Amino acid sequence: MEGISLEELQLAARNHGMPLEALRYPVTPIGLHYLLIHYDVPAVDPEAWRLTVRGERELVLSLDDLRARPAAEVTVTMECAGNGRARLDPRPVSQPWLLEAVGTARWRGTPLRPLLEEAGVRSGAVEVLCTGLDRGVEGGEPEQAFRRSVPLDEALRDETLLAYEMNGEPLPPQHGFPLRLVVPGWYGMTNVKWLERIELVDTPFAGYQNAWSYRLRQAEDEEGVPLNRMQPRSLLAPPGVPEFMTRERMVAAGEVLLEGRAWSGLAPVESVEVSTDGGETWSTAELESDGEPWAWRGWSYRWDAQPGEHVLCCRARDAAGNEQPREPAWNLGGYANNAVQTVPATVT
Amino acid sequence: MEGISLEELQLAARNHGMPLEALRYPVTPIGLHYLLIHYDVPAVDPEAWRLTVRGERELVLSLDDLRARPAAEVTVTMECAGNGRARLDPRPVSQPWLLEAVGTARWRGTPLRPLLEEAGVRSGAVEVLCTGLDRGVEGGEPEQAFRRSVPLDEALRDETLLAYEMNGEPLPPQHGFPLRLVVPGWYGMTNVKWLERIELVDTPFAGYQNAWSYRLRQAEDEEGVPLNRMQPRSLLAPPGVPEFMTRERMVAAGEVLLEGRAWSGLAPVESVEVSTDGGETWSTAELESDGEPWAWRGWSYRWDAQPGEHVLCCRARDAAGNEQPREPAWNLGGYANNAVQTVPATVT
């Protein structure tokens, strides 16, 4: 790997992943869930804050207004579209994620659909454009708010929420206080934080975050394909204990319960396989019962660990037949690299 | 800067700093406070967990026992001893902190001193040795628990706590659940997390984290000087908006209120100065009233921002005469680099 630059390090120091031992929690504790903040966490006065929803009419809602509406809660696994970027070669220059840009939270809020219907969904509407309060400069464009659009059918799903709570508490500042969008199954960038405005639009949004960023393409002059739902991925909680600097694992010989979690935004996870020989041979892991449709599934595998060097791997396949590849497919933005995790372990 | 290695990046992806805009909060929200986890966050069953305190006698306490004891709360600014490491040249290889390894929390718990007195402080005791539940391999030594000792006089200070709450909530797993030591004014490594054992010892602890790590020295064969209290530092919340990748600031011309916070573990902060020309000239910032003796002090400075390129800096001096240097003093472990922060800003 070519050395990480100061600019990449600056991003890595502020945006953090989920330490992989936190895979033990079905719901990730606040502070362990991954974070990607494009610009700065904005300061928001919840008393003065209002959400504008614009359809055929314009609604203006306070946080109390939103809390007084019907509430719903959904447990969602959310992953950054750039997770795995730093494993690509050549490495696209942006937030240098390895594997940890994921987390699962209980998001509570009010469903978006009834609000859009109250505002009036014009027959020509194709997308819902969400604007956050976070502002910055990016990609050579002038100062912009973080803005992303969602296709109308995704915005109208029953489980698409405007969330004001995370894990039973008011949204922390870094997760979008006072309000964020949650579109279960999609990569993180669509779950716009610090919402200030939601509008139905008749033409696809052509702003930076949709038209330029978050697209799969090989070269800058390609239009590419927009990212949407999370590709399948499985991660294992590294067993034994780590060496501080290398994070390599030291494991005591004998029966070791390997545990991890797997998810896909495209379809339910159908199987997880484990390899303890670097991917030469694979065995089927046991899957936990599937209670939360938009959250990861736990899995486990009993490994008879014999002394020596081993490379642990896991791979998920979903019900639509999507499976993790051994090697990543390179793309310009370094997105959606769901190649199989490998964990070297020394058994003694 | 020479490129950051994969191993350094692995640490940066799991251990995170406080994004500097979070300097706006006098108490850092959970999830924005810096974290350094040497090994893994351990899994702890709070029902089964016990703390052993060994002096002339041995006490064994449950979490309920500790909560039933007299409680105290102290607001503490805590900084990693390695903060600033990645700005040193050559760069010591470890967690590559830039500037963000800091945070302030309200820690609530029970004072350590009465517990030590109940266990019996032998006349020959010189240190209190704290052992955490986190285990790993480090510095070529065999598997170890994270263990650090504190000088007896520091352990007996009124404000030294065994903390079970952070910001009014049970300790999050990543901050030491169910119990951690808090020694106000000291660098983070002394505030041992996931405590399992506390013992009075008659000879200075010669284990890895005291005798080898966390010492100021120029070469491996030097004994060096152990780190203890935080050197003075001031940080400013970068004004305006950032460019995503460079984090350089774009600021609108006119009056800009520069704000930040300053701390020192050695003595109260006495002054903060601000420069808007890269340190050529300095002006005095206004300090907030000093309510919490172990927490940072807020400061502000009204800047008449004129169009052009500027470099913003701030520096703190404490009542003992310690002042931040312009250039860092190199040392082998990359500790205690409290050189002045510089923030490039383009005013338009």
mmCIF file of all heavy atoms in Angstrom, chain A residues 155-187:
data_model
loop_
_atom_site.group_PDB
_atom_site.id
_atom_site.type_symbol
_atom_site.label_atom_id
_atom_site.label_comp_id
_atom_site.label_asym_id
_atom_site.label_seq_id
_atom_site.Cartn_x
_atom_site.Cartn_y
_atom_site.Cartn_z
ATOM 1 N N ALA A 155 -38.488 6.853 -1.041
ATOM 2 C CA ALA A 155 -38.949 7.800 -0.016
ATOM 3 C C ALA A 155 -40.317 7.393 0.523
ATOM 4 O O ALA A 155 -40.655 7.691 1.671
ATOM 5 C CB ALA A 155 -38.999 9.209 -0.594
ATOM 6 N N LEU A 156 -41.103 6.710 -0.290
ATOM 7 C CA LEU A 156 -42.476 6.348 0.100
ATOM 8 C C LEU A 156 -42.565 4.976 0.770
ATOM 9 O O LEU A 156 -43.647 4.542 1.154
ATOM 10 C CB LEU A 156 -43.394 6.378 -1.138
ATOM 11 C CG LEU A 156 -43.599 7.767 -1.770
ATOM 12 C CD1 LEU A 156 -44.481 7.662 -3.005
ATOM 13 C CD2 LEU A 156 -44.188 8.763 -0.774
ATOM 14 N N ARG A 157 -41.429 4.296 0.924
ATOM 15 C CA ARG A 157 -41.457 3.002 1.620
ATOM 16 C C ARG A 157 -41.936 3.185 3.062
ATOM 17 O O ARG A 157 -41.605 4.178 3.716
ATOM 18 C CB ARG A 157 -40.061 2.377 1.642
ATOM 19 C CG ARG A 157 -39.622 1.771 0.326
ATOM 20 C CD ARG A 157 -38.119 1.519 0.312
ATOM 21 N NE ARG A 157 -37.697 0.680 1.426
ATOM 22 C CZ ARG A 157 -36.442 0.602 1.850
ATOM 23 N NH1 ARG A 157 -35.482 1.337 1.276
ATOM 24 N NH2 ARG A 157 -36.133 -0.180 2.845
ATOM 25 N N ASP A 158 -42.645 2.179 3.577
ATOM 26 C CA ASP A 158 -43.157 2.270 4.949
ATOM 27 C C ASP A 158 -42.042 2.521 5.957
ATOM 28 O O ASP A 158 -42.248 3.199 6.954
ATOM 29 C CB ASP A 158 -43.857 0.956 5.338
ATOM 30 C CG ASP A 158 -45.193 0.801 4.644
ATOM 31 O OD1 ASP A 158 -45.698 1.799 4.102
ATOM 32 O OD2 ASP A 158 -45.712 -0.333 4.639
ATOM 33 N N GLU A 159 -40.876 1.930 5.725
ATOM 34 C CA GLU A 159 -39.833 1.965 6.747
ATOM 35 C C GLU A 159 -38.863 3.141 6.574
ATOM 36 O O GLU A 159 -37.877 3.241 7.309
ATOM 37 C CB GLU A 159 -39.064 0.635 6.788
ATOM 38 C CG GLU A 159 -38.383 0.244 5.509
ATOM 39 C CD GLU A 159 -39.305 -0.551 4.568
ATOM 40 O OE1 GLU A 159 -40.539 -0.522 4.747
ATOM 41 O OE2 GLU A 159 -38.774 -1.173 3.639
ATOM 42 N N THR A 160 -39.126 4.030 5.632
ATOM 43 C CA THR A 160 -38.290 5.230 5.499
ATOM 44 C C THR A 160 -38.755 6.262 6.525
ATOM 45 O O THR A 160 -39.921 6.646 6.548
ATOM 46 C CB THR A 160 -38.377 5.790 4.071
ATOM 47 O OG1 THR A 160 -37.816 4.818 3.173
ATOM 48 C CG2 THR A 160 -37.613 7.088 3.940
ATOM 49 N N LEU A 161 -37.813 6.673 7.372
ATOM 50 C CA LEU A 161 -38.153 7.513 8.537
ATOM 51 C C LEU A 161 -37.423 8.840 8.516
ATOM 52 O O LEU A 161 -36.326 8.962 7.964
ATOM 53 C CB LEU A 161 -37.694 6.821 9.832
ATOM 54 C CG LEU A 161 -38.340 5.548 10.317
ATOM 55 C CD1 LEU A 161 -37.794 5.231 11.714
ATOM 56 C CD2 LEU A 161 -39.844 5.698 10.350
ATOM 57 N N LEU A 162 -38.024 9.804 9.216
ATOM 58 C CA LEU A 162 -37.297 10.976 9.698
ATOM 59 C C LEU A 162 -37.010 10.697 11.168
ATOM 60 O O LEU A 162 -37.921 10.721 11.999
ATOM 61 C CB LEU A 162 -38.136 12.237 9.530
ATOM 62 C CG LEU A 162 -38.526 12.570 8.095
ATOM 63 C CD1 LEU A 162 -39.392 13.825 8.064
ATOM 64 C CD2 LEU A 162 -37.288 12.752 7.229
ATOM 65 N N ALA A 163 -35.750 10.412 11.485
ATOM 66 C CA ALA A 163 -35.408 9.914 12.819
ATOM 67 C C ALA A 163 -34.931 11.036 13.720
ATOM 68 O O ALA A 163 -34.112 11.859 13.323
ATOM 69 C CB ALA A 163 -34.328 8.844 12.725
ATOM 70 N N TYR A 164 -35.483 11.038 14.958
ATOM 71 C CA TYR A 164 -35.028 11.996 15.972
ATOM 72 C C TYR A 164 -34.437 11.298 17.195
ATOM 73 O O TYR A 164 -34.033 11.954 18.136
ATOM 74 C CB TYR A 164 -36.167 12.952 16.376
ATOM 75 C CG TYR A 164 -37.505 12.270 16.620
ATOM 76 C CD1 TYR A 164 -37.700 11.463 17.728
ATOM 77 C CD2 TYR A 164 -38.555 12.442 15.723
ATOM 78 C CE1 TYR A 164 -38.904 10.828 17.944
ATOM 79 C CE2 TYR A 164 -39.781 11.803 15.930
ATOM 80 C CZ TYR A 164 -39.948 11.000 17.038
ATOM 81 O OH TYR A 164 -41.150 10.366 17.244
ATOM 82 N N GLU A 165 -34.423 9.970 17.175
ATOM 83 C CA GLU A 165 -33.780 9.219 18.263
ATOM 84 C C GLU A 165 -32.908 8.111 17.692
ATOM 85 O O GLU A 165 -33.227 7.528 16.651
ATOM 86 C CB GLU A 165 -34.825 8.560 19.180
ATOM 87 C CG GLU A 165 -35.505 9.509 20.125
ATOM 88 C CD GLU A 165 -36.450 8.785 21.093
ATOM 89 O OE1 GLU A 165 -36.417 7.533 21.171
ATOM 90 O OE2 GLU A 165 -37.237 9.481 21.743
ATOM 91 N N MET A 166 -31.844 7.831 18.418
ATOM 92 C CA MET A 166 -30.930 6.735 18.084
ATOM 93 C C MET A 166 -30.736 5.928 19.361
ATOM 94 O O MET A 166 -30.358 6.496 20.400
ATOM 95 C CB MET A 166 -29.595 7.326 17.628
ATOM 96 C CG MET A 166 -28.539 6.319 17.238
ATOM 97 S SD MET A 166 -26.973 7.157 16.855
ATOM 98 C CE MET A 166 -26.067 5.789 16.115
ATOM 99 N N ASN A 167 -31.025 4.656 19.294
ATOM 100 C CA ASN A 167 -30.858 3.777 20.468
ATOM 101 C C ASN A 167 -31.587 4.338 21.687
ATOM 102 O O ASN A 167 -31.071 4.279 22.814
ATOM 103 C CB ASN A 167 -29.372 3.573 20.806
ATOM 104 C CG ASN A 167 -28.623 2.856 19.702
ATOM 105 O OD1 ASN A 167 -29.202 2.502 18.676
ATOM 106 N ND2 ASN A 167 -27.331 2.647 19.900
ATOM 107 N N GLY A 168 -32.767 4.917 21.488
ATOM 108 C CA GLY A 168 -33.575 5.380 22.608
ATOM 109 C C GLY A 168 -33.206 6.736 23.164
ATOM 110 O O GLY A 168 -33.786 7.180 24.154
ATOM 111 N N GLU A 169 -32.236 7.417 22.545
ATOM 112 C CA GLU A 169 -31.835 8.747 23.015
ATOM 113 C C GLU A 169 -31.980 9.755 21.879
ATOM 114 O O GLU A 169 -31.951 9.371 20.706
ATOM 115 C CB GLU A 169 -30.381 8.717 23.471
ATOM 116 C CG GLU A 169 -30.167 7.754 24.615
ATOM 117 C CD GLU A 169 -28.746 7.849 25.159
ATOM 118 O OE1 GLU A 169 -28.181 8.952 25.182
ATOM 119 O OE2 GLU A 169 -28.210 6.800 25.531
ATOM 120 N N PRO A 170 -32.103 11.056 22.231
ATOM 121 C CA PRO A 170 -32.111 12.054 21.157
ATOM 122 C C PRO A 170 -30.878 11.861 20.274
ATOM 123 O O PRO A 170 -29.802 11.479 20.761
ATOM 124 C CB PRO A 170 -32.033 13.388 21.912
ATOM 125 C CG PRO A 170 -32.564 13.088 23.272
ATOM 126 C CD PRO A 170 -32.172 11.656 23.559
ATOM 127 N N LEU A 171 -31.017 12.099 18.995
ATOM 128 C CA LEU A 171 -29.872 11.946 18.093
ATOM 129 C C LEU A 171 -28.656 12.670 18.661
ATOM 130 O O LEU A 171 -28.749 13.837 19.018
ATOM 131 C CB LEU A 171 -30.163 12.591 16.738
ATOM 132 C CG LEU A 171 -31.048 11.877 15.731
ATOM 133 C CD1 LEU A 171 -30.974 12.629 14.411
ATOM 134 C CD2 LEU A 171 -30.631 10.437 15.550
ATOM 135 N N PRO A 172 -27.510 12.019 18.738
ATOM 136 C CA PRO A 172 -26.291 12.749 19.085
ATOM 137 C C PRO A 172 -25.952 13.755 17.970
ATOM 138 O O PRO A 172 -26.339 13.553 16.813
ATOM 139 C CB PRO A 172 -25.221 11.659 19.161
ATOM 140 C CG PRO A 172 -25.967 10.361 19.242
ATOM 141 C CD PRO A 172 -27.260 10.586 18.523
ATOM 142 N N PRO A 173 -25.228 14.833 18.316
ATOM 143 C CA PRO A 173 -24.900 15.835 17.291
ATOM 144 C C PRO A 173 -24.274 15.206 16.050
ATOM 145 O O PRO A 173 -24.615 15.574 14.919
ATOM 146 C CB PRO A 173 -23.891 16.755 17.990
ATOM 147 C CG PRO A 173 -24.056 16.530 19.444
ATOM 148 C CD PRO A 173 -24.645 15.163 19.632
ATOM 149 N N GLN A 174 -23.371 14.256 16.268
ATOM 150 C CA GLN A 174 -22.608 13.697 15.146
ATOM 151 C C GLN A 174 -23.432 12.764 14.266
ATOM 152 O O GLN A 174 -23.006 12.411 13.171
ATOM 153 C CB GLN A 174 -21.354 12.984 15.665
ATOM 154 C CG GLN A 174 -21.607 11.729 16.489
ATOM 155 C CD GLN A 174 -21.800 11.978 17.976
ATOM 156 O OE1 GLN A 174 -22.177 13.053 18.407
ATOM 157 N NE2 GLN A 174 -21.545 10.946 18.772
ATOM 158 N N HIS A 175 -24.615 12.363 14.731
ATOM 159 C CA HIS A 175 -25.474 11.501 13.924
ATOM 160 C C HIS A 175 -26.668 12.254 13.353
ATOM 161 O O HIS A 175 -27.621 11.639 12.890
ATOM 162 C CB HIS A 175 -25.928 10.285 14.726
ATOM 163 C CG HIS A 175 -24.832 9.262 14.923
ATOM 164 N ND1 HIS A 175 -24.382 8.448 13.906
ATOM 165 C CD2 HIS A 175 -24.070 8.968 16.004
ATOM 166 C CE1 HIS A 175 -23.408 7.670 14.365
ATOM 167 N NE2 HIS A 175 -23.197 7.963 15.623
ATOM 168 N N GLY A 176 -26.646 13.604 13.424
ATOM 169 C CA GLY A 176 -27.650 14.366 12.699
ATOM 170 C C GLY A 176 -28.637 15.163 13.505
ATOM 171 O O GLY A 176 -29.658 15.582 12.955
ATOM 172 N N PHE A 177 -28.375 15.391 14.788
ATOM 173 C CA PHE A 177 -29.312 16.149 15.618
ATOM 174 C C PHE A 177 -29.712 17.452 14.939
ATOM 175 O O PHE A 177 -28.841 18.158 14.470
ATOM 176 C CB PHE A 177 -28.676 16.465 16.980
ATOM 177 C CG PHE A 177 -29.576 17.261 17.892
ATOM 178 C CD1 PHE A 177 -30.487 16.621 18.701
ATOM 179 C CD2 PHE A 177 -29.508 18.654 17.923
ATOM 180 C CE1 PHE A 177 -31.325 17.349 19.542
ATOM 181 C CE2 PHE A 177 -30.350 19.384 18.752
ATOM 182 C CZ PHE A 177 -31.260 18.732 19.557
ATOM 183 N N PRO A 178 -31.012 17.768 14.877
ATOM 184 C CA PRO A 178 -32.118 17.091 15.555
ATOM 185 C C PRO A 178 -32.843 16.035 14.708
ATOM 186 O O PRO A 178 -33.658 15.314 15.264
ATOM 187 C CB PRO A 178 -33.078 18.237 15.872
ATOM 188 C CG PRO A 178 -32.868 19.204 14.757
ATOM 189 C CD PRO A 178 -31.424 19.092 14.351
ATOM 190 N N LEU A 179 -32.537 15.939 13.403
ATOM 191 C CA LEU A 179 -33.345 15.061 12.547
ATOM 192 C C LEU A 179 -32.515 14.575 11.372
ATOM 193 O O LEU A 179 -31.795 15.355 10.742
ATOM 194 C CB LEU A 179 -34.562 15.838 12.009
ATOM 195 C CG LEU A 179 -35.688 15.003 11.379
ATOM 196 C CD1 LEU A 179 -36.487 14.289 12.473
ATOM 197 C CD2 LEU A 179 -36.628 15.894 10.571
ATOM 198 N N ARG A 180 -32.654 13.277 11.064
ATOM 199 C CA ARG A 180 -31.989 12.741 9.883
ATOM 200 C C ARG A 180 -32.935 11.821 9.141
ATOM 201 O O ARG A 180 -33.890 11.287 9.696
ATOM 202 C CB ARG A 180 -30.728 11.977 10.254
ATOM 203 C CG ARG A 180 -30.984 10.610 10.840
ATOM 204 C CD ARG A 180 -29.684 9.859 11.104
ATOM 205 N NE ARG A 180 -28.923 9.681 9.883
ATOM 206 C CZ ARG A 180 -27.685 9.192 9.857
ATOM 207 N NH1 ARG A 180 -27.090 8.836 10.978
ATOM 208 N NH2 ARG A 180 -27.047 9.042 8.729
ATOM 209 N N LEU A 181 -32.619 11.625 7.885
ATOM 210 C CA LEU A 181 -33.338 10.660 7.074
ATOM 211 C C LEU A 181 -32.744 9.271 7.310
ATOM 212 O O LEU A 181 -31.530 9.135 7.447
ATOM 213 C CB LEU A 181 -33.187 11.045 5.597
ATOM 214 C CG LEU A 181 -33.902 10.155 4.581
ATOM 215 C CD1 LEU A 181 -35.409 10.259 4.737
ATOM 216 C CD2 LEU A 181 -33.477 10.540 3.160
ATOM 217 N N VAL A 182 -33.593 8.254 7.335
ATOM 218 C CA VAL A 182 -33.126 6.865 7.390
ATOM 219 C C VAL A 182 -33.850 6.085 6.304
ATOM 220 O O VAL A 182 -35.079 5.976 6.318
ATOM 221 C CB VAL A 182 -33.375 6.239 8.778
ATOM 222 C CG1 VAL A 182 -33.021 4.754 8.768
ATOM 223 C CG2 VAL A 182 -32.560 6.964 9.845
ATOM 224 N N VAL A 183 -33.082 5.599 5.341
ATOM 225 C CA VAL A 183 -33.614 4.788 4.238
ATOM 226 C C VAL A 183 -32.994 3.399 4.385
ATOM 227 O O VAL A 183 -31.879 3.159 3.920
ATOM 228 C CB VAL A 183 -33.257 5.401 2.868
ATOM 229 C CG1 VAL A 183 -33.914 4.594 1.742
ATOM 230 C CG2 VAL A 183 -33.692 6.864 2.784
ATOM 231 N N PRO A 184 -33.676 2.484 5.067
ATOM 232 C CA PRO A 184 -33.072 1.184 5.372
ATOM 233 C C PRO A 184 -32.571 0.459 4.122
ATOM 234 O O PRO A 184 -33.257 0.429 3.094
ATOM 235 C CB PRO A 184 -34.217 0.415 6.048
ATOM 236 C CG PRO A 184 -35.048 1.482 6.686
ATOM 237 C CD PRO A 184 -35.010 2.614 5.691
ATOM 238 N N GLY A 185 -31.373 -0.104 4.234
ATOM 239 C CA GLY A 185 -30.806 -0.883 3.144
ATOM 240 C C GLY A 185 -29.845 -0.100 2.265
ATOM 241 O O GLY A 185 -29.043 -0.703 1.559
ATOM 242 N N TRP A 186 -29.918 1.221 2.313
ATOM 243 C CA TRP A 186 -29.053 2.047 1.468
ATOM 244 C C TRP A 186 -27.738 2.357 2.178
ATOM 245 O O TRP A 186 -27.645 2.388 3.392
ATOM 246 C CB TRP A 186 -29.763 3.356 1.111
ATOM 247 C CG TRP A 186 -30.784 3.180 0.031
ATOM 248 C CD1 TRP A 186 -31.861 2.335 0.044
ATOM 249 C CD2 TRP A 186 -30.806 3.859 -1.238
ATOM 250 N NE1 TRP A 186 -32.549 2.443 -1.139
ATOM 251 C CE2 TRP A 186 -31.938 3.376 -1.947
ATOM 252 C CE3 TRP A 186 -30.004 4.828 -1.845
ATOM 253 C CZ2 TRP A 186 -32.265 3.824 -3.231
ATOM 254 C CZ3 TRP A 186 -30.335 5.285 -3.108
ATOM 255 C CH2 TRP A 186 -31.452 4.773 -3.794
ATOM 256 N N TYR A 187 -26.724 2.614 1.363
ATOM 257 C CA TYR A 187 -25.465 3.106 1.928
ATOM 258 C C TYR A 187 -25.703 4.427 2.665
ATOM 259 O O TYR A 187 -26.704 5.144 2.413
ATOM 260 C CB TYR A 187 -24.433 3.323 0.818
ATOM 261 C CG TYR A 187 -23.796 2.042 0.319
ATOM 262 C CD1 TYR A 187 -23.960 1.618 -0.990
ATOM 263 C CD2 TYR A 187 -23.002 1.260 1.158
ATOM 264 C CE1 TYR A 187 -23.368 0.451 -1.462
ATOM 265 C CE2 TYR A 187 -22.397 0.085 0.700
ATOM 266 C CZ TYR A 187 -22.583 -0.311 -0.609
ATOM 267 O OH TYR A 187 -21.991 -1.464 -1.069
#
